[in-house]
Amino acid sequence: MDEQAHAATVRRLERASGKLAAAAIARMDQQLPWYRAMPPENRSWIGLVAQAGIAAFTEWFRHPDAPQAISTDVFGTAPRELTRAITLRQTVEMVRTTIEVVESAIDELAAPGGERALRNAILVYAREIAFATAQVYAQAAEARGAWDARLESLVVNAVVSGEADESDISRAAALGWKAPDHVTVVLGSAPSGESELTVEAIRRAARYAKLQVLTGVLGKRLVVVAGGSDDPVQAAKALLGPFAAGPVVAGPVVGDLLAATHSAQAAAAGLRAVAAWPDAPRPVHADDLLPERAMAGDPVARRLLVEEVYTPLQEAGSALLETLSVYLEQASSLEGAARMLFVHPNTVRYRLRRVTDVTGWPPSDVRSAFTLRIALMLGRLAETARRQ
């Protein structure tokens, strides 16, 4: 195209820019149902983007020897929030519609002999604006991702630190947390490397297990607030893969995000005490670590062992406490306990079954016997303290 024809085409583009934008908007209204359904304010912003795109093409075409690239400033006329209201697919449809309108008017826009050059310029411009569109949405996604990660970290930290309140429920809702009825907190060591990769691996595992999660790496710990399962150990098993080697502890199930603080505290206490049980399963329930937690100084574990083991046995009658104590002292021997108590072994056996019914811990199991022994010790110490 000679300079004269090129200048003439530029002038025609300038005169027709308003008409082309109006035609593009009219075609969107006719062909794109989502555009018609949008509020007037958003439609207005889309109109400005279309006008800016046509104006940018005119300016771009004016300098054909300049670098063949387009700035994302085409989208700068609209607020950043528009990327939330309009999907990438819808933006592509908007751009395609606008380009089609300009292409259909080539014969009117191009000076004689300049049709081919204008058509080629539109093809190149369409490619460049496609890249610009992708860049705008990529930047918006990165910004949202960074903000969401910060928000999620705040919620997880509030749960772990015991400072969760109603504002954290609102933050979690903004992240897609749907307030499940069953919530547990899982703690373990975070793997080395990028924490973002670890978080994404947890999310993939959660999607596969149909769990809701809020997660983050706090220092060297990987924390997962998991919702949607009434079995904390099963939930932890489903999320186990991204954790580093070492113990993983699941706190007890609670009813909501605010109560998850208690689950987190139990899991943290279990993680501190689990070294005392080298053969602990992985993952392990925090309540299965009650004796180790109690010996490590956890007041909650001590209270639970007294309230849920010693006190119920005491209230069930002195015979159960006496029988359990003697049975444990006799190295879990039915016959030895029966001789010491001057009763038949079947009586001892019956009373031990009652102990299991009352506490949930069967004395014949080695691990349970250890827990019961610690509970008896703590209960006696508590009674002595009350008397003094």
Side-chain angles (χ1 to χ4, degrees), residues 265-266 269-270 272-273 286-287 289-312 361 371-383 385-386:
Q265 291 171 344
R272 289 191 296 269
D287 285 355
L289 289 162
L290 284 177
E292 286 79 10
R293 288 166 53 191
M295 296 181 72
D298 179 11
V300 174
R302 294 186 174 192
R303 177 177 55 81
L304 288 175
L305 285 172
V306 173
E307 292 180 355
E308 297 183 2
V309 178
Y310 185 82
T311 301
W361 299 90
T371 302
L372 291 166
R373 185 183 291 273
I374 298 297
L376 292 182
M377 293 168 56
L378 292 172
R380 290 165 183 153
L381 289 172
E383 276 196 344
R386 279 195 299 269

Side-chain angles (χ1 to χ4, degrees), residues 114-126:
E115 294 85 358
R116 181 176 180 181
L118 181 59
R119 181 174 288 106
N120 289 340
I122 291 174
L123 290 175
V124 175
Y125 182 81

Side-chain angles (χ1 to χ4, degrees), residues 35-80:
Y35 175 79
R36 293 194 299 271
M38 297 191 78
E41 181 182 10
N42 286 346
R43 291 202 301 270
S44 174
W45 287 121
I46 290 175
L48 289 177
V49 171
Q51 291 176 20
I54 294 171
F57 171 69
T58 302
E59 189 62 29
W60 182 82
F61 185 75
R62 188 193 304 277
H63 305 288
D65 296 328
Q68 300 289 326
I70 180 172
S71 168
T72 57
D73 289 343
V74 167
F75 299 94
T77 55
R80 182 174 296 180

Side-chain angles (χ1 to χ4, degrees), residues 72-378:
T72 57
D73 289 343
V74 167
F75 299 94
T77 55
R80 182 174 296 180
E81 291 77 9
L82 195 64
T83 57
R84 291 182 179 269
I86 303 175
T87 65
L88 177 58
R89 178 185 62 80
Q90 291 170 339
T91 302
V92 170
E93 291 178 351
M94 175 189 72
V95 171
R96 181 187 294 120
T97 301
T98 304
I99 294 295
E100 288 173 351
V101 167
V102 177
E103 281 183 323
S104 67
I106 285 179
D107 293 337
E108 301 174 19
L109 297 172
E115 294 85 358
R116 181 176 180 181
L118 181 59
R119 181 174 288 106
N120 289 340
I122 291 174
L123 290 175
V124 175
Y125 182 81
R127 181 194 68 187
E128 297 299 335
I129 203 168
F131 284 128
T133 302
Q135 184 176 349
V136 166
Y137 275 83
Q139 290 172 342
E142 288 177 359
R144 284 198 298 271
W147 173 249
D148 287 352
R150 173 63 176 161
L151 205 61
E152 188 169 11
S153 180
L154 287 173
V155 174
V156 171
N157 186 65
V159 169
V160 172
S161 64
E163 298 174 355
D165 55 25
E166 293 295 333
S167 64
D168 293 298
I169 294 179
S170 299
R171 294 188 183 104
L175 294 166
W177 182 261
K178 296 181 174 60
D181 294 332
H182 304 98
V183 181
T184 187
V185 177
V186 183
L187 296 182
S189 297
S192 57
E194 294 291 333
S195 60
E196 292 82 358
L197 298 178
T198 300
V199 167
E200 185 54 37
I202 287 289
R203 290 187 180 128
R204 285 197 302 270
R207 285 194 293 271
Y208 183 79
K210 295 181 173 55
L211 296 171
Q212 295 183 53
V213 294
L214 297 167
T215 184
V217 176
L218 304 182
K220 295 182 179 180
R221 284 184 179 178
L222 175 55
V223 182
V224 184
V225 182
S229 173
D230 59 359
D231 187 333
V233 173
Q234 287 302 317
K237 284 181 179 178
L239 305 171
L240 198 58
F243 283 87
V248 175
V249 181
V253 170
V254 293
D256 55 37
L257 190 61
L258 290 181
T261 288
H262 304 300
S263 182
Q265 291 171 344
L271 198 59
R272 289 191 296 269
V274 69
W277 185 12
D279 296 326
R282 184 176 187 268
V284 60
H285 196 304
D287 285 355
D288 290 338
L289 289 162
L290 284 177
E292 286 79 10
R293 288 166 53 191
M295 296 181 72
D298 179 11
V300 174
R302 294 186 174 192
R303 177 177 55 81
L304 288 175
L305 285 172
V306 173
E307 292 180 355
E308 297 183 2
V309 178
Y310 185 82
T311 301
L313 287 175
Q314 191 178 45
E315 293 174 347
S318 59
L320 292 189
L321 267 179
E322 183 185 17
T323 299
L324 175 61
S325 179
V326 171
Y327 175 76
L328 295 175
E329 292 297 331
Q330 293 299 312
S332 301
S333 167
L334 282 172
E335 290 75 11
R339 285 194 299 271
M340 293 295 296
L341 293 168
F342 303 103
V343 296
H344 194 277
N346 285 341
T347 302
V348 176
R349 187 177 288 108
Y350 167 77
R351 291 176 181 175
L352 294 179
R353 282 201 299 268
R354 289 279 296 128
V355 169
T356 303
D357 294 339
V358 170
T359 67
W361 299 90
S364 57
D365 176 77
V366 174
R367 176 69 190 173
S368 296
F370 172 65
T371 302
L372 291 166
R373 185 183 291 273
I374 298 297
L376 292 182
M377 293 168 56
L378 292 172

